[in-house]
Amino acid sequence: QVQLVQSGAEVKKPGASVKVSCKASGYTFTNYYMHWVRQAPGQGLEWMGIINPTGGSTSYAQKFQGRVTMTRDASTSIVYMDLSSLTSEDTAVYYCARDRAVAGIGDFQNWGQGTLVIVSS
Amino acid sequence: SSELTQDPAVSVALGQTVRITCQGDSLRTYYATWYQQKPGQAPALIIYGKNNRPSGIPDRFSASYSGNTTSLTITAAQAEDEADYYCNSRDSRDSSGYHVVFGGGTRLTVL
C-alpha cells in the first residue's frame, strides 16, 4: 500500500533553515506529483508547492517563493522540502501529500504523518 | 487569506443532515476536493471530482455544485463525523495550472 513516511520533529532558531524529508513507497514514485502542505497550530491547511518526481520541476506558492526549495531523489523515492529564513510564523506541522491520480493535481489521496517544526529562540 | 471561503463552524444534531459550503472563483473551472481532519491526524480525502468517494468513505458524504460554490452534504450525521472539513481545488488564478488553494476549514460539531 502507499506509504509516505516523513522525517522527525525539528526545533530551529529564527533565521535558520529546515529540511524535511518524505519517503514514498508502495507505488511508482515518478508517476505522481507530490505536494507540501503545512498547518500552523490551530490553523487551517496551507499549500506550499508541488514537485514533479519525474524531472524534479517545481512550482511554489507565491508566499513561499524565494524561501522554499523542493527536491527529490528518484533513486530512493524521497522528496525534500527546504524552508529558509525561518520565523516563529513558520512553526507548523508540515505534510507531504501525493496526488490521487497520475497527472492529476489537487486530490491529495495520501498524506505523510506530518513533521512538526518549531521555530523558537 | 484563502481564495476558497468556508464557514468557520457548523453544528448538526445527531442523525440530521448538514451542508458545508466552499465558495470561490476557482470552482467555476475546477472541481473541489473535500478532506476530513480529526485532532492529531493528517487530513483524509473524502470527496473528489464531481462527487466521488474513495473506497471506505461512507455514502452519507456527498458533494454538489452551483456556480462558484460547492457543498459537502453529510446525511444522517454520526458522532464520528465531528471533525474539521477542508475544501481545496486547483487555483484558477495561476496560469501554470499547478497551484492549489485550500479553504479555511469548517469545524463541524455533532450535537
Side-chain angles (χ1 to χ4, degrees):
Chain A
Q1 75 281 21
V2 175
Q3 280 197 306
L4 302 176
V5 179
Q6 298 183 222
S7 49
E10 304 261 13
V11 179
K12 296 292 183 180
K13 297 234 186 278
S17 296
V18 68
K19 191 168 188 175
V20 181
S21 68
C22 170
K23 181 168 175 58
S25 62
Y27 70 98
T28 302
F29 177 72
T30 51
N31 279 2
Y32 298 84
Y33 294 118
M34 195 76 82
H35 303 251
W36 288 91
V37 176
R38 78 175 186 180
Q39 186 170 36
Q43 302 300 308
L45 301 171
E46 182 173 32
W47 182 81
M48 299 180 69
I50 179 175
I51 182 166
N52 182 341
T54 298
S57 60
T58 55
S59 188
Y60 306 132
Q62 187 170 8
K63 175 176 180 176
F64 300 101
Q65 287 275 3
R67 251 193 349 124
V68 70
T69 303
M70 296 177 188
T71 56
R72 99 285 185 232
D73 183 340
S75 68
T76 56
S77 301
I78 298 176
V79 294
Y80 300 92
M81 189 282 298
D82 197 321
L83 188 63
S84 63
S85 303
L86 294 170
T87 72
S88 59
E89 298 194 347
D90 294 314
T91 293
V93 175
Y94 290 77
Y95 294 101
C96 57
R98 198 206 81 172
D99 272 310
R100 179 187 58 82
V102 173
I105 296 174
D107 299 338
F108 302 152
Q109 175 88 64
N110 303 96
W111 295 71
Q113 82 275 21
T115 296
L116 175 62
V117 175
I118 296 172
V119 183
S120 174
S121 55
Chain B
S1 64
S2 303
E3 293 304 321
L4 294 179
T5 301
Q6 298 183 240
D7 291 329
V10 171
S11 62
V12 61
L14 184 67
Q16 297 301 302
T17 296
V18 63
R19 183 172 294 180
I20 298 170
T21 61
C22 172
Q23 183 177 39
D25 286 343
S26 291
L27 301 182
R28 297 188 186 278
T29 306
Y30 300 111
Y31 287 124
T33 301
W34 286 96
Y35 304 87
Q36 178 192 70
Q37 187 180 33
K38 296 184 177 179
Q41 297 182 15
L45 189 157
I46 56 173
I47 295 281
Y48 65 93
K50 190 173 183 179
N51 183 22
N52 302 296
R53 286 174 287 105
S55 173
I57 301 302
D59 61 6
R60 63 178 179 272
F61 293 94
S62 64
S64 59
Y65 287 82
S66 178
N68 71 340
T69 300
T70 182
S71 299
L72 172 71
T73 299
I74 308 174
T75 303
Q78 303 300 301
E80 61 263 31
D81 299 335
E82 185 161 288
D84 293 329
Y85 291 85
Y86 294 91
C87 61
N88 81 342
S89 77
R90 291 169 70 168
D91 189 349
S92 62
R93 299 168 300 165
D94 168 59
S95 58
S96 76
Y98 288 100
H99 287 208
V100 173
V101 61
F102 278 95
T106 297
R107 175 151 296 177
L108 176 67
T109 301
V110 179
L111 304 172

